[in-house]
Structure formats: structure tokens, C-alpha cells
Amino acid sequence: MDPVKRAIEAHWRRVWNFTFRMTLDREQARICVEETFLRVHIGADKMPPANQCEAWLLRIAAHVVEKKAGRVPPVSFDLLDETLRSEATRTDLVKSLSSPQRDFYLWELKQGCMTSVVNCLPPGERVAFVLSAILGYTEDEASNVLGISNSAFKVRLSRARKKVTDYLAPRCEHVDPRNPCRCPSRLGVAMDRGFIPVGNVKLRPSFGRYGSQVDGEDAPLRDVMAIYHSLPDPDPPDDFPATLLALADSAQWADLKQRSRVAPLK
């Protein structure tokens, strides 16, 4: 098999997870994944061995995200509070939904809220947190992906972990069940304000009420790193791997690769 296609099949889901957590936008994440693999297609002769390929792909994806999304956080802690917590709690909507709808929307709310919290971080801290807490990279592995020293990575991660913990610890039920912010009571506000997608319910294997345990209820996890590591992957676009494989065979990518031999890809 073509090495680019092999890389797509083996790693597209991890690259998708990374770009979505970094951008908080499915369309932007899709664009970033496609450009990441386009750059892989153009630079295929530089592809490392299979055991180093994922780190190489994420290094490329990090550069693509920074170029596409910029360095300004797309959301702030204050804006997130204003969006989800400025109105009184509501439980009427949850009670009116069927079980598949309720499970889907609560899953989307938890995913969206947790990703929004990460997106309040500056880009350098955000990428450190995503690599460590969500993708499960060790400090040595993550610092290698970013091309920075281990000590510099530790500083970024420490700052990110403190900010996320300081925000969630007094608010989120997933950290402490006694906290005031509970997904069922915030679902109506989130849907009214367009915080989560409405009307496209997807059936998936049961992940409990909020998505962290297969066929079970969520348990509060006081360690925010454990909460983020337990999040299932966000849903990709339909037939996404097939789309990426088709692009790898397309005349468009072949033409871009040919032109890149004369001038660098912009």
C-alpha cells in the first residue's frame, strides 16, 4: 500500500481528535486534517518509520492548526460562563427527550464544554494539555512532538492544568457531584444558544449518560487529567477516512505535489 494511504488509515482518527480539540470547530478541524495529510503527501519521502509516524503527523498538524486558527484563543472562561451559566437551570428539555436523543445531546454537551475549557488556554498551553491529557502522550513524547525541551513542556502543561482545574473544580459535576453545574440542567440553555448541534442525532454504542464509561454511568473524577483522558473521540465527518484516501489519489493533490517541486507549498 502507498505509504501516505497507510498513514491515513493508521492515524487519521488521532489527528482528527487533536485538530478538533485544538480548534473547537468540526469544519476547521476537517480542513486542518486534510491539509496535514496533503503536506504528508507532498513530503512523503521524509516520512519516518511506522513507530515514529504519529508524532511526526501531530507535529505537522500543530503547525497547520497554528496557521489556520491563529494564536488568539477562540473562547474565554468568562464567555463560556456567560454562554452556559448566566441563566437559571432548566430540566424541562431533558425530561421531554427520548433516551437516544437525551444521551446524544448530553454527550455532545460534555464534549463541547470540556473542549471549550481547553480552548480558553493560550495555544502553547492548549497543545501541551491536548497532547498530555487527551492523547495520553508522556512529557518526553509530547516535548519531542513540539520540538521543545522537556522542562519547557512541563511549564506549559503545569500552567494549563492549573487553569483548567481552577475553572472546573468549583463548577463541574464531573469533578465533584456537589458542584452546581450539571449537564442535564444546562442542556436547554446550550441548545438555545447553539452551543451544541441540534437535529442530527447519531446512535452510537452506549457510553453512559455523559460518555465516559461504556454501558455505565459517569463517575466523578476529581483529577481533571483523568476526565479528559476518558473522553471518547469526537465524531468525524461522515466517510472521512474514505474522503482522505480519495484525496490521496486525486489529480488535485498530484498537481500540488508536482508544483511543490518547483516552489514551496504556501
Side-chain angles (χ1 to χ4, degrees):
M1 179 185 289
D2 174 77
V4 176
K5 290 183 177 181
R6 190 161 55 244
I8 290 172
E9 290 191 342
H11 302 291
W12 74 268
R13 190 174 290 278
R14 293 276 279 179
V15 178
W16 162 256
N17 194 355
F18 173 80
T19 59
F20 175 75
R21 305 297 183 188
M22 289 294 294
T23 62
L24 190 59
D25 184 284
R26 280 181 166 81
E27 178 61 19
Q28 187 81 286
R30 180 192 63 79
I31 292 170
C32 289
V33 173
E34 289 183 3
E35 180 160 335
T36 295
F37 283 109
L38 169 59
R39 290 173 179 271
V40 170
H41 180 73
I42 289 172
D45 57 325
K46 300 177 182 178
M47 188 177 297
N51 64 342
Q52 301 173 25
C53 191
E54 181 180 297
W56 181 66
L57 289 169
L58 292 179
R59 186 180 302 120
I60 296 171
H63 287 298
V64 171
V65 168
E66 182 175 335
K67 175 184 174 184
K68 295 288 186 182
R71 300 193 60 79
V72 179
V75 66
S76 68
F77 292 122
D78 288 341
L79 179 59
L80 186 56
D81 270 344
E82 182 181 340
T83 301
L84 291 180
R85 301 179 181 90
S86 60
E87 295 185 18
T89 59
R90 292 172 46 185
T91 58
D92 56 310
L93 179 63
V94 171
K95 293 178 180 177
S96 69
L97 294 172
S98 66
S99 180
Q101 291 175 316
R102 181 173 59 251
D103 291 345
F104 174 79
Y105 288 132
L106 288 174
W107 187 85
E108 283 290 315
L109 178 55
K110 180 181 177 181
Q111 286 269 19
C113 185
M114 292 294 177
T115 302
S116 295
V117 172
V118 175
N119 272 259
C120 295
L121 300 170
E125 296 172 10
R126 188 190 321 159
V127 69
F129 192 86
V130 169
L131 287 172
S132 181
I134 297 177
L135 298 186
Y137 272 52
T138 66
E139 292 174 351
D140 287 341
E141 292 168 340
S143 60
N144 181 59
V145 167
L146 299 178
I148 61 177
S149 68
N150 187 277
S151 59
F153 178 82
K154 286 182 178 180
V155 170
R156 290 189 189 185
L157 180 59
S158 176
R159 289 174 177 170
R161 186 190 293 120
K162 184 179 187 307
K163 290 176 183 177
V164 172
T165 300
D166 286 351
Y167 181 78
L168 290 176
R171 292 173 172 83
C172 179
E173 67 168 318
H174 301 294
V175 179
D176 188 330
R178 297 170 296 181
N179 279 334
C181 190
R182 300 172 179 272
C183 291
S185 65
R186 298 296 174 184
L187 185 58
V189 175
M191 294 177 73
D192 285 347
R193 298 196 173 188
F195 185 78
I196 57 175
V198 177
N200 186 25
V201 175
K202 294 183 180 180
L203 298 179
R204 59 169 62 82
S206 174
F207 281 102
R209 288 184 303 159
Y210 306 124
S212 71
Q213 298 184 22
V214 176
D215 293 325
E217 295 295 311
D218 272 15
L221 299 170
R222 294 180 186 273
D223 179 0
V224 297
M225 301 292 279
I227 293 173
Y228 278 92
H229 193 60
S230 73
L231 291 177
D233 289 352
D235 287 334
D238 292 337
D239 299 322
F240 196 37
T243 299
L244 292 171
L245 291 170
L247 284 169
D249 277 334
S250 69
Q252 177 188 8
W253 276 22
D255 181 58
L256 286 171
K257 183 173 184 177
Q258 179 63 34
R259 286 194 283 132
S260 74
R261 296 172 180 170
V262 179
L265 180 67
K266 301 296 185 182

